[in-house]
Amino acid sequence: MTVIYDKVALLGLGLIASSMAHAMRAGGLVREISGHARTADTRAVALEIAICDTVHASAAEAVRDADLVVLAVPVGAMGAIAAEIAPFLKPGATVTDVGSVKQSVIDAVAPHMPPSVHFVPGHPIAGTEYSGPRAGFATLFQNRWWLLTPLAQADMAAVARLRALLEAMGAKVDEMDAPHHDLVLAVTSHTPHLIAYTMVGVADDLRRVTDSEVIKYSAAGFRDFTRIAASDPTMWRDVFLNNKDATLEILGRFTEELFALQRAIRTGDGDHLFEYFTRTRAIRRGIIEAGQDTAAPDFGRSAEKT
Ligand code: NAP
């Protein structure tokens, strides 16, 4: 076990921050963890389950002497918290974030960062539909990607040190630029979430007509949709408001394909449907071969998503 940072400050004490705390503690990767949450309830839980050594009502107080500061609040709250802590950051400290969107977080946070501080934006591709400090667990990031989107002028040593922490927590780390990240995630996570939200909404409307049949005969596909659609409303509202362009671009393409399939069904074009489904089946096989999922029933998952 190697200590990578002496003191880490977690701002926002939800699923991601508490999972980081468990993982850092399990690996002996840091000496001290301070935390901040805006509500007294969350602070009390954080103390009760001992994910932090100290818990502060003030974010500025939490970052005092911290070598690494992690912004783990919803994407729309990143700018305000960055402005609040900026004057209190230790010179030479690294600030990272775990937001699901990168360019808008960079735009909101970077202008507040003092020149003596290294800002290295990041996003763990790991999560569950649960939120809050009690939802965290040490193995959340095990074998999951953690994408870093360093700025052009990033300090390589600071990036390498953060990468070492993330890898020691079990994550696989990759670097890319923020616009690329946002487009990739719009395809793999953001638009699928919107589709799940919509499908569950449609089924809910139907349920009023067919009583409880939608739930009673719910097959695995729809159950997966309901799990995804149970995700935190604040987090996902902020994701769509902050990844507007990429999500709208992918949604536009999705709608075109959906119309093509709709027409194939109406005109009885079975060849079109068969070819389309054959192509998508091959993509699924590719995901399994790349080790990103298992062929087990129910996708072999119990709790992960995004
Ligand atoms: P969470 O469990 O809902 O926790 C959010 C935390 O942020 C709570 O401590 C909450 O404080 C605080 N918070 C909420 N609104 C705030 C505001 N306006 N100002 C200051 N603090 C606020 O969330 P999470 O799932 O850990 O997500 C945190 C970040 O990780 C988000 O940016 C999200 O995009 C990203 N992320 C999430 C997932 C996922 O699947 N959940 C995956 C990857 C990345 P209180 O409890 O005191 O209200």
Side-chain angles (χ1 to χ4, degrees), residues 189-201 225 240 251 254:
S189 169
H190 304 167
T191 308
H193 268 78
L194 199 67
I195 294 164
Y197 279 124
T198 314
M199 198 56 228
V200 173
F225 276 156
F240 292 116
L251 261 183
F254 175 82

Side-chain angles (χ1 to χ4, degrees), residues 155-171:
D155 180 278
M156 298 319 288
V159 176
R161 193 171 174 197
L162 178 60
R163 183 186 260 268
L165 176 78
L166 306 178
E167 287 174 348
M169 293 195 305

